[in-house]
Amino acid sequence: MATTATTEPRKIPPATGPHLTEHSISVSAAPDDVYRLVADVAGWPQVFGPTVHVEVLEEADPFAGGEQLLRIWAVANEQVRTWTSRRVLDPAARVITFRQVVSAAPVAAMGGTWLIEPVEDGTTRVVLLHDYRAVDDDPQAEALIERAVDRNSLAELTALKNAAERGEDAAGLQFTFSDSVTVAGAAGDVYAFLDRAEMWPERLPHVARLDLTEEESGIQHIDMDTRSSDGSIHNTASVRVCFEDRKEIVYKQLKVPVAMRVHTGRWTIEPLDDGTLTVTSWHTVVLDHEGVRTALGPEVTLAKARNLVRKALGTNSSTTLRYAQQFAEEAHGRT
């Protein structure tokens, strides 16, 4: 990763783990813009490839400073790990420190720091520090953690650089939309239909094949072939985090069509006062500018590309919603 000397010596918080790593990158963007991307955890799944989902358990204004408590789901060594971290944000210094308060084995402890530093030539240097300790100080676990930290740090810094350098173009490339149905049935039945995706090839006309593996309860890997209206087959791979207690599923596609850089989504089930439910499919998409040209032609506008992607994704999610509605209402009629 490219590095450049900064105008002032950096202040590095003390580490608590015996193993230390440092990764850095040079970014052609203003320091405040880079800091904003790191501070805004709601946007992490769209910026950082390994990040699947983030929930803020204790909120603070990331641009005023303070502490946050986060729960994070991310892919590490091809598995989804979840942990809880506390962050301390210092927007004036553009420094964010983090420390895991609930770690996932084989990690016994982990923390680190984001340092975002202005450089004399107008670029920004981003330094990502980690310190960690393995459970029982096991050497094999230490090697596994080191590989995961190295791989994810490089991926995160590269993604941060790409997102920051897209600048104003990012507003045109990223968009969110939703489709909803009203269901006269039980939330548990709707959730069961959405959760048991391995049944979708039998239940949904646009799903040609689906392989689901569940490495632990509530964390699913899905490899799916989807049939388009013209009969063509498109393959996608996704990770889903399923929250049965609140009847919600979030997901991130790890393999996306060529026109997209990122695709994340969410299924929500909300009870209404009249006893019915609103079931909604949410999508957030970040288009890939070059991929759009490759897939749709060099003359296509971003507005047209957004409309085409929205139609394709919305058609499939609306179909899934209608079949989930039918499933839940038929089950309700039998009770």
Side-chain angles (χ1 to χ4, degrees):
M1 289 293 164
T3 60
T4 309
T6 55
T7 56
E8 296 181 1
R10 54 192 166 97
K11 298 177 181 179
I12 302 176
T16 61
H19 302 282
L20 310 176
T21 67
E22 176 175 329
H23 299 82
S24 64
I25 196 166
S26 178
V27 181
S28 297
D32 287 341
D33 293 337
V34 178
Y35 174 85
R36 189 174 296 110
L37 289 171
V38 179
D40 182 15
V41 295
W44 279 13
Q46 283 72 55
V47 175
F48 299 121
T51 304
V52 176
H53 181 56
V54 180
E55 297 198 343
V56 180
L57 306 179
E58 294 178 11
E59 183 60 282
D61 183 346
F63 309 113
E67 293 191 12
Q68 289 178 318
L69 187 66
L70 311 174
R71 188 174 181 193
I72 302 168
W73 288 259
V75 179
N77 290 326
E78 300 183 353
Q79 288 187 303
V80 177
R81 304 290 186 185
T82 182
W83 62 89
T84 302
S85 287
R86 185 168 295 280
R87 298 203 309 173
V88 179
L89 302 107
D90 184 346
R94 302 185 197 91
V95 172
I96 299 174
T97 59
F98 57 91
R99 180 70 46 196
Q100 291 185 6
V101 296
V102 178
S103 300
V107 176
M110 181 174 289
T113 306
W114 290 91
L115 298 142
I116 299 162
E117 307 167 328
V119 183
E120 290 179 347
D121 63 3
T123 62
T124 297
R125 183 173 185 248
V126 182
V127 180
L128 178 55
L129 306 171
H130 284 91
D131 62 85
Y132 62 88
R133 180 170 59 83
V135 173
D136 298 326
D137 296 316
D138 178 61
Q140 289 186 333
E142 290 170 353
L144 185 71
I145 296 168
E146 182 181 13
R147 288 195 298 271
V149 168
D150 187 59
R151 183 184 300 114
N152 281 10
S153 296
L154 294 173
E156 288 177 354
L157 288 170
T158 300
L160 179 64
K161 176 182 174 71
N162 291 337
E165 292 181 352
R166 283 198 297 274
E168 294 180 357
D169 290 342
L173 294 171
Q174 182 169 322
F175 61 104
T176 298
F177 65 91
S178 64
D179 298 288
S180 299
V181 295
T182 300
V183 178
D189 291 326
V190 177
Y191 179 83
F193 185 95
L194 299 173
D195 178 54
R196 298 329 311 168
E198 71 272 21
M199 303 293 292
W200 285 2
E202 303 170 22
R203 293 173 168 174
L204 297 174
H206 63 280
V207 179
R209 180 195 62 84
L210 191 148
D211 291 332
L212 183 149
T213 57
E214 197 158 2
E215 58 192 43
E216 60 180 271
S217 180
I219 296 180
Q220 301 175 347
H221 291 258
I222 289 178
D223 187 284
M224 178 170 62
D225 289 339
T226 303
R227 185 182 296 107
S228 298
S229 57
D230 62 3
S232 60
I233 299 294
H234 301 275
N235 177 257
T236 57
S238 304
V239 169
R240 306 204 309 176
V241 182
C242 305
F243 301 97
E244 185 174 6
D245 57 338
R246 66 187 195 221
K247 304 296 186 288
E248 182 177 359
I249 297 172
V250 299
Y251 64 88
K252 182 172 188 175
Q253 283 193 346
L254 304 181
K255 180 180 180 182
V256 295
V258 67
M260 301 181 204
R261 184 185 298 271
V262 178
H263 175 207
T264 62
R266 179 189 306 262
W267 300 93
T268 61
I269 304 169
E270 299 175 276
L272 301 177
D273 292 340
D274 63 1
T276 62
L277 309 165
T278 296
V279 185
T280 304
S281 170
W282 293 90
H283 299 268
T284 296
V285 174
V286 182
L287 296 176
D288 182 283
H289 208 176
E290 292 305 315
V292 165
R293 294 182 177 185
T294 299
L296 304 175
E299 303 303 320
V300 71
T301 64
L302 281 180
K304 184 175 181 180
R306 286 195 297 270
N307 288 337
L308 290 171
V309 170
R310 197 260 184 263
K311 180 179 179 181
L313 294 178
T315 296
N316 287 345
S317 59
S318 293
T319 299
T320 303
L321 287 169
R322 289 196 304 272
Y323 277 82
Q325 176 190 42
Q326 179 181 339
F327 178 87
E329 290 182 347
E330 288 180 353
H332 184 69
R334 291 192 295 267
T335 58

